[in-house]
Amino acid sequence: HDGFASEGGKELRVLSAHEVLEVLEGPRKESLGNAMRARGKAASDGATGWFTTKSQHGTDCVRLGRSTYVCTSNIALTDNIDIKDCKVVRKLSKGEGLTVLEGPIDDAK
């Protein structure tokens, strides 16, 4: 339904600190009260549902993170940008989230 009063919803699970979410819809003001909620998908397990972005008292419950990516297939995480001179640190699985620390860099030269 269009309204999503917190009392009427079923809790799917508790989100972890620093968990990566893809926002699918919103944020929207809750029909009863001042809370803001958004519909999202967790990168870790694909769980989809509504989460509170701002409480009814105006407290931020989440913050926009730095640039993030979610693996759409299994890939290698390497220690060097040069693919010819790098070592694989570990394999990343489909659905794992990454936070950008540097770049992106265009390797087409």
Side-chain angles (χ1 to χ4, degrees), residues 12 16 28 36-37 40 50 63 75 77 79 100 104:
L12 299 177
S16 302
R28 300 189 325 196
M36 295 293 290
R37 297 183 37 88
W50 290 90
R63 81 178 152 81
I75 60 171
L77 180 66
D79 66 347
V100 175

Side-chain angles (χ1 to χ4, degrees), residues 77-94:
L77 180 66
T78 63
D79 66 347
N80 190 322
I81 191 168
D82 186 353
I83 198 71
K84 295 176 185 172
D85 185 35
C86 68
K87 293 181 182 151
V88 174
V89 175
R90 77 174 182 89
K91 301 283 185 178
L92 299 174
S93 300
K94 180 178 179 177

Side-chain angles (χ1 to χ4, degrees), residues 5 10 22 44 58 63 100:
K10 177 184 169 205
E22 175 186 358
S44 60
R63 81 178 152 81
V100 175

Side-chain angles (χ1 to χ4, degrees), residues 12-29:
L12 299 177
R13 69 177 181 81
V14 176
L15 298 173
S16 302
H18 307 290
E19 188 165 355
V20 177
L21 300 170
E22 175 186 358
V23 175
L24 303 173
E25 185 179 336
R28 300 189 325 196
K29 185 176 178 184

